[in-house]
Every structure is written in C-alpha cells, then in structure tokens.
Amino acid sequence: MLSFENTEIAFRYKSNSDLSRARILFSAISNPGLVQVGKSLTYLALKLHLPIAWAIKPTLYKHFVGGETLDECEKTVKLLSKYKLKSILDYSVEGGKDQEAMQRTLDETLRSVVHAAKHPDIPFSVFKPTAFASQEVLTLASENTNIDSETAKAIQFFKESVEKLAKTAFENNIPIMIDAEDSWYQPFVDQVVTEMMEKYNKKEAIVYNTLQMYRTDRLDFLKESLRKAEEGNYFLGIKFVRGAYMEKERLRADEKGYPSPIQPDKDATDQNYDAGVAFTLAHLDRISVFSGSHNETSNRLLTELMEKQGLARNESRIWFSQLYGMSDHISFNLADEGYNVAKYIPYGPVRNILPYLIRRAEENTSISGQTGRELALLEQERIRRKKS
C-alpha cells in the first residue's frame, strides 16, 4: 500500500532552517485567536496604507507563495522539478470591480498561459472567475434578473475575458482550469465554462471546470456534464476540490431560507468526492481528471482505482495536486512513486495576494487535524535528521 509517512522524501527539498520556519508558522496558525488578530491587524494596515510586506514576505508569503512575478517563481519551479513535481502558477490577485485592475489581471493571466505553454515543468494554467467580474455581477448573471446596461457590459467583459483565455490556451496547447466560486453565482460560471468546453475540447480536454464536492448537487452535475459532452462530442476536463466556503454557504442559505447546498458533514463530503473521482475513472475515454486533495484516503483511493484499471502511474489524463506549502508528505511521496503531481503555486504582489494568504491561515486553523498533521510530520522529520 502507498505510504505517505516517509518524511525524508516529503521534506528533502527543505533545509533545516526551512523546516524550523515551517514549524514556527504552523504553530502560529494553529491558534485561532492569533489568526483572527493577525487578520484584523493586516486589514487595518492595508486600510491605512501602512507598509506590511516586511512582516508578511518572510513568513506566510514565503511559505505559501511562489513570488511576485512569473520570473520570481522560476526558482521554486526548478526546485520542485528536481523531485519530479510539476508546478501550476496561479496569479492570485483578486478584484472584480475596478475595470483597469481587471484588465491588468487579464493581461497577466494571459502571460501566465503563454509562459506555461513554453515551460516543460508547468503543465496547466489557471484563473479565478471573480478576477474578471464582481460577485454581484456574476450573481445577477446567474439569476438572469435586474440586468441593466452597466451589468450587461460587465457580463460581456467577463465572457470575453474567459474566451480570450480559453482561446489562448487552445492555441498554445496548454490546459486551463477555471476555479469554482460560491454556489449562488456558480451557475453562470458553469454555463460559460461549458460553452468553452464545447468550443475548445473537441480533440482533448483543454478547458477544465472545477467541482466543489462538498456541494450536494455536484455529482449529478458531473453526470449531466458527461451526458452533454457525449451528445456534443467533446471532452470534459474536471478538477475536483472539496470546497472552501462552507460556513458562508450555510449562513447565506439560513438567511435566505433555502436548503443548505453543502453536505451535512465531512464523511458525506468525503464520500461525494471519492464517488466523483471514481465516476471519472470509469469514463476516462471522455473525461480527464485533476484531483486537488489534501486528504490521504482520497489520494490513496485514486491510486488504487488506477491500479485496478491497469493504468500507468503517469497516465496523462490523471493528475494529483496539493497547494504549495501544504501536504508535502502527499505530493512528494506520490511523485516519488511515479504519479503525475503538480503543486498549485499562487503568485502576485504582496499587498494584492493578502486575501489568499489570510484564507490559507484560516483554513489551516479550521480544517480538523490539518495543522496538527503538518506539525507532527515536520517534528518527525526534525527528529529523523537529528538522529541521522
């Protein structure tokens, strides 16, 4: 059975000082009170336009982010490639309301697509829909109500932006993944992504949609997506994640008086995730799968399903992925065994990428056992090195 316990493999890319910094960082973000205080102080500093890069860059930023530019990320990409890991560079600047900012983000994301196509160690490109439209615009588009001329203009910019990115990915033969958003404005994102699949996935999966499997409707959505793909004779690219907005989703459902779209508990989410992955492997002739999971059981299950079907470990239609700075014991051990593994690496200016970093800190605090697991493995490796 595949083991994720080998910390020598998991952390061999880290120096002793890197290991110590990681232990200090995860110790800090294991404290919910400290994380909330840090969040409040960070947003206050941003509001007051105070310099904060000096505090953020050597700590959270260094651990979870590749750099401020594509060129700055190259050192990390090369380091990971020594250990058989690929990289996915995600321009993680969030926006959605300022037109000039959205255009700058589009231009940079287009550069990242072309950059990936030219780089053997970057097998995918990626973007977040809310970089090109506000949540309000995407919500109105999903509801198809109250669309005035300004909203219509914003919707058109979003569609044109996604089209440019998908077309550039197609022309450069580099797959592009579109991240998932909140459930109440995901319908419009799904609609646009499906249109791009119909147009650009005629020969292989270039455009990938993202399914948050903590949602109760995503398995049915996956099956319906396959039906449409078979009917329209195109291929599906599916990226699986569990989901990151559970509390917000449940709160809104309660406030608006509709059933929660989120699975009742972690076990149900895990079962839904694994069922989705198993479904794609049963239809690999039509679906390419990208499994973005920090769950050891789900990653192990995927390897077992591949073995049962007699698939090569480096099967090109199947990828494993974890976020940069997290779950190295999964990523590096999978890569060492010959599986396709890519680290998801955000990049961008320090001030602009702070919302992403705050989410990482909060998620590590809230996900049961995540930070404790990271700390235990780091300590295990520290002890191993001391003895050797």
Side-chain angles (χ1 to χ4, degrees):
M1 181 182 291
L2 176 67
S3 172
F4 298 122
E5 303 302 315
N6 192 323
T7 59
E8 181 177 5
I9 289 175
F11 299 117
R12 58 187 172 185
Y13 78 113
K14 286 187 180 294
S15 66
N16 288 337
S17 58
D18 289 335
L19 209 64
S20 296
R21 276 195 297 269
R23 288 172 61 236
I24 293 169
L25 178 63
F26 278 109
S27 293
I29 61 180
S30 66
N31 185 324
L34 189 60
V35 169
Q36 287 307 308
V37 169
K39 176 182 177 180
S40 299
L41 290 175
T42 298
Y43 280 130
L44 178 62
L46 285 173
K47 188 176 181 180
L48 297 175
H49 301 285
L50 298 175
I52 54 176
W54 65 271
I56 300 295
K57 201 159 187 179
T59 53
L60 275 173
Y61 189 95
K62 180 179 176 63
H63 189 84
F64 292 114
V65 182
E68 296 202 46
T69 65
L70 288 168
D71 287 342
E72 274 192 25
C73 293
E74 185 62 19
K75 182 179 178 181
T76 300
V77 173
K78 285 184 176 179
L79 176 63
L80 293 176
S81 72
K82 290 181 181 178
Y83 304 102
K84 307 176 187 176
L85 277 93
K86 304 298 185 181
S87 299
I88 300 169
L89 301 184
D90 177 14
Y91 188 58
S92 297
V93 174
E94 299 179 5
K97 291 189 177 181
D98 182 270
Q99 189 63 42
E100 290 185 8
M102 287 191 291
Q103 185 60 53
R104 286 195 299 272
T105 300
L106 175 59
D107 293 341
E108 177 60 29
T109 308
L110 287 166
R111 278 193 289 273
S112 76
V113 175
V114 175
H115 180 78
K118 295 177 180 178
H119 204 303
D121 292 315
I122 307 176
F124 291 86
S125 52
V126 63
F127 69 89
K128 188 172 176 61
T130 44
F132 309 117
S134 68
Q135 296 180 15
E136 293 78 11
V137 165
L138 293 174
T139 299
L140 291 171
S142 292
E143 295 172 348
N144 199 24
T145 56
N146 300 320
I147 298 177
D148 56 23
S149 59
E150 280 300 307
T151 303
K153 185 178 177 181
I155 290 172
Q156 187 60 28
F157 177 81
F158 175 80
K159 294 178 75 171
E160 289 175 356
S161 297
V162 176
E163 172 80 41
K164 285 179 183 176
L165 287 161
K167 185 173 186 287
T168 301
F170 175 78
E171 290 173 345
N172 286 273
N173 196 34
I174 185 77
I176 189 163
M177 297 184 290
I178 295 89
D179 284 343
E181 299 285 1
D182 294 315
S183 65
W184 59 92
Y185 54 90
Q186 183 65 32
F188 180 62
V189 176
D190 287 336
Q191 175 192 323
V192 175
V193 174
T194 298
E195 290 171 2
M196 295 301 99
M197 285 186 177
E198 291 172 351
K199 189 169 184 178
Y200 295 111
N201 287 11
K202 288 295 186 181
K203 293 184 178 180
E204 60 181 329
I206 291 292
V207 177
Y208 279 63
N209 201 1
T210 300
L211 303 190
Q212 298 166 310
M213 299 308 286
Y214 69 175
R215 285 182 53 177
T216 56
D217 66 342
R218 292 293 88 177
L219 191 55
D220 287 338
F221 177 84
L222 173 61
K223 293 175 180 178
E224 177 62 13
S225 296
L226 176 61
R227 186 194 66 76
K228 288 180 180 178
E230 290 175 335
E231 191 176 88
N233 193 28
Y234 60 91
F235 293 89
L236 286 182
I238 299 294
K239 173 188 166 188
F240 288 104
V241 297
R242 274 170 169 74
Y245 313 111
M246 183 173 65
E247 290 83 3
K248 182 167 62 168
E249 289 278 5
R250 286 178 174 160
L251 181 61
R252 187 180 191 273
D254 186 56
E255 290 175 346
K256 300 283 186 179
Y258 60 84
S260 171
I262 304 302
Q263 297 285 353
D265 53 39
K266 184 180 182 301
D267 285 344
T269 297
D270 291 344
Q271 290 173 25
N272 206 42
Y273 187 100
D274 294 344
V277 170
F279 181 83
T280 58
L281 257 70
H283 298 89
L284 208 57
D285 59 324
R286 183 67 63 175
I287 309 176
S288 293
V289 57
F290 185 97
S291 178
S293 175
H294 293 238
N295 183 286
E296 294 174 14
T297 302
S298 291
N299 280 288
R300 188 175 288 111
L301 174 64
L302 180 49
T303 67
E304 291 169 356
L305 289 171
M306 290 174 68
E307 187 173 349
K308 283 181 182 177
Q309 291 185 212
L311 298 168
R313 291 186 175 185
N314 64 345
E315 164 59 53
S316 62
R317 293 165 294 180
I318 301 173
W319 282 81
F320 298 77
S321 183
Q322 290 77 41
L323 293 168
Y324 180 62
M326 293 173 62
S327 299
D328 286 341
H329 66 297
I330 295 176
S331 307
F332 282 80
N333 279 294
L334 279 170
D336 193 68
E337 291 290 333
Y339 294 96
N340 293 326
V341 186
K343 278 292 194 182
Y344 220 76
I345 306 176
Y347 77 98
V350 178
R351 293 181 71 89
N352 298 103
I353 214 165
L354 279 172
Y356 171 87
L357 290 173
I358 290 168
R359 279 206 310 277
R360 288 288 78 79
E362 289 181 319
E363 286 169 17
N364 273 278
T365 301
S366 62
I367 297 172
S368 177
Q370 177 70 46
T371 304
R373 180 67 166 145
E374 297 281 358
L375 277 169
L377 290 163
L378 288 163
E379 178 63 13
Q380 182 180 324
E381 176 58 11
R382 185 191 71 82
I383 293 171
R384 187 200 67 78
R385 290 185 185 186
K386 193 174 180 180
K387 289 179 178 178
S388 63

